[in-house]
Amino acid sequence: MTDQYQVEKVLQGDRDAFELVIKNTEGLVAQILFKMINNTEDRKDIAQDIYFKVYKNLASFKFQSKLSTWIARIAYNTCLNFLEMKKPGLIHTISIEDNSHIESLEKIIRTSTPAREAENFIFQKELSKILQCEIEKLSPVYKTLLTLFHKEELTYAEISEITELPEGTVKNYLFRARKTLRENLLIQYKKEDL
Amino acid sequence: MNTNHLTDIEIQQYCFEKESCESRIVNHIELCRTCKERAASYELISSEIKNIQSPVFDFNLAGLVLSRIPQQKSKFSFNIFLVCFAACVPVAALGVPLFFLQEYITNVFTAILPPLYYMIAVLALTVVIFQVIEMYMHFHNKMSRLELY
């Protein structure tokens, strides 16, 4: 069923068609919500709010993108507004990493054999668990971008459309997020090892 | 062994933007063990993110949303038919007796004095105005309750 057909059906008042839209897109919306909002009750309210907005504004959808991308954009903006309302400035906490720290760590990895061994070891030892933990520590925007790119396999253009960030910024944020994640994983391992 | 290693940006480019990656980077990674390991660690992170279980809502989102969306009248033509039928019934109910009793009814009205006519008309008009105001307020109240935002 094409997006156009689905939208037309919903606009004609077909509730089953809207239910199908929700079912088809709630996975992507959940990814964004779970990465950006921690409180379960808030997530429940925001999820409903997102689809009310979708329903209310569906007539203004111009088919310039996929329907799922448009809904994801509404989800992302709704989460951002919520975070801004709750804690102004929270979403802009993407800091530029301390490069000297990263460089020194890379130096250790490059030069010392134990560090290299540690690096190898960490990716074998309960990596998934540690990784999830470390992802949770990242900023909401980083978490969302990583999920959209690696989990949902969206393109830079699609992520750019959802987040309303330029493609270059998306790439840059993703680069920083992966780098931070990798470094944090190594630090985490070193802590556990001590 | 190559000692000039690639930067993190170049390694990530190799891992995640293969189609636009320079051949210099590809060649270096093929020859350099350190950079190959770093690239492998990024690829592993990527594959691990892919393997993380997708979150799901622990409630019926579609059900919740649909229960709060007002039901639209989709069978428009059927409704028009109903309205026409409902309008025709009282017209017929009034019209048929009027047709048969027109002489008697004319006599009844001509017997009433003109001032009484006006009084009845004003009274009827007042009742109608009040009814319309009441209907409008009722309708407005209902609409504001249905309003989602």
Side-chain angles (χ1 to χ4, degrees):
Chain A
M1 205 188 286
T2 64
D3 283 352
Q4 192 144 9
Y5 180 76
Q6 266 186 318
V7 171
E8 274 170 22
K9 281 284 193 190
V10 176
L11 291 176
Q12 282 165 13
D14 188 336
R15 291 163 72 87
D16 292 339
F18 191 55
E19 189 175 357
L20 196 66
V21 169
I22 298 174
K23 297 264 182 216
N24 288 343
T25 55
E26 71 177 316
L28 181 59
V29 169
Q31 288 284 19
I32 295 170
L33 266 175
F34 275 76
K35 291 291 166 286
M36 296 194 77
I37 311 291
N38 289 327
N39 185 285
T40 315
E41 279 306 305
D42 288 340
R43 276 203 292 259
K44 193 174 178 179
D45 292 340
I46 295 169
Q48 291 178 69
D49 193 26
I50 289 163
Y51 282 102
F52 287 140
K53 282 182 185 171
V54 169
Y55 189 78
K56 208 180 167 190
N57 298 303
L58 201 59
S60 67
F61 177 55
K62 300 278 184 277
F63 302 98
Q64 284 164 347
S65 63
K66 283 197 276 182
L67 181 63
S68 59
T69 309
W70 183 72
I71 293 172
R73 185 175 172 173
I74 291 175
Y76 181 80
N77 283 328
T78 309
C79 291
L80 276 191
N81 291 340
F82 177 82
L83 291 175
E84 268 295 318
M85 216 167 59
K86 239 183 170 182
K87 267 188 185 174
L90 178 81
I91 50 167
H92 300 299
T93 53
I94 295 168
S95 60
I96 293 164
E97 288 79 20
D98 182 358
N99 283 328
S100 60
H101 151 74
I102 291 165
E103 276 164 20
S104 63
L105 198 65
E106 278 174 1
K107 209 173 176 182
I108 294 167
I109 293 163
R110 277 202 297 268
T111 53
S112 69
T113 318
R116 199 178 286 161
E117 280 170 8
E119 193 182 6
N120 289 338
F121 185 68
I122 192 171
F123 294 120
Q124 290 160 9
K125 187 193 164 194
E126 294 183 328
L127 179 68
S128 192
K129 234 186 238 176
I130 303 168
L131 188 74
Q132 278 188 53
C133 235
E134 288 306 318
I135 289 174
E136 284 311 308
K137 287 179 193 166
L138 295 173
S139 80
V141 176
Y142 275 1
K143 279 193 273 184
T144 309
L145 293 183
L146 281 175
T147 307
L148 293 180
F149 187 83
H150 292 286
K151 182 84 184 160
E152 293 297 317
E153 296 179 339
L154 298 184
T155 62
Y156 289 124
E158 283 171 321
I159 298 173
S160 162
E161 204 160 321
I162 290 169
T163 56
E164 291 176 304
L165 291 169
E167 262 188 62
T169 311
V170 170
K171 280 184 191 179
N172 190 27
Y173 279 8
L174 270 168
F175 160 74
R176 283 203 244 161
R178 288 187 209 111
K179 192 171 180 175
T180 308
L181 192 59
R182 183 172 171 271
E183 303 301 346
N184 288 350
L185 280 169
L186 286 172
I187 292 165
Q188 184 63 30
Y189 170 71
K190 277 174 193 286
K191 264 187 208 166
E192 277 184 14
D193 204 37
L194 282 172
Chain B
M1 191 176 162
N2 197 343
T3 48
N4 295 322
H5 294 294
L6 294 173
T7 62
D8 235 69
I9 295 179
E10 288 170 327
I11 290 177
Q12 288 201 33
Q13 239 177 7
Y14 169 80
C15 297
F16 309 114
E17 292 168 40
K18 282 204 165 83
E19 60 285 349
S20 62
C21 187
E22 292 172 47
S23 55
R24 171 185 64 85
I25 298 171
V26 179
N27 292 338
H28 177 95
I29 287 179
E30 275 169 14
L31 297 170
C32 175
R33 194 181 153 207
T34 309
C35 290
K36 200 179 238 176
E37 277 175 9
R38 282 169 68 193
S41 70
Y42 276 118
E43 277 166 354
L44 194 61
I45 286 176
S46 173
S47 70
E48 282 300 323
I49 294 175
K50 244 174 242 160
N51 291 337
I52 293 172
Q53 208 178 357
S54 295
V56 282
F57 294 118
D58 56 357
F59 53 90
N60 179 8
L61 178 61
L64 271 177
V65 173
L66 289 171
S67 70
R68 286 179 59 189
I69 287 175
Q71 195 123 24
Q72 266 190 5
K73 292 162 188 170
S74 53
K75 293 178 180 174
F76 187 66
S77 54
F78 180 71
N79 281 355
I80 286 190
F81 172 77
L82 269 182
V83 169
C84 292
F85 181 75
C88 287
V89 169
V91 168
L94 271 172
V96 172
L98 276 175
F99 179 76
F100 290 109
L101 303 169
Q102 56 184 310
E103 207 171 314
Y104 173 75
I105 291 165
T106 315
N107 288 338
V108 168
F109 279 103
T110 47
I112 298 171
L113 294 170
L116 202 61
Y117 254 140
Y118 292 122
M119 273 184 69
I120 292 168
V122 167
L123 194 70
L125 197 67
T126 312
V127 170
V128 167
I129 288 169
F130 274 108
Q131 283 288 330
V132 168
I133 291 169
E134 173 69 21
M135 273 170 69
Y136 177 75
M137 283 172 75
H138 193 63
F139 167 77
H140 197 262
N141 196 15
K142 269 188 174 176
M143 287 308 285
S144 61
R145 264 190 237 165
L146 285 172
E147 202 52 52
L148 293 167
Y149 296 98

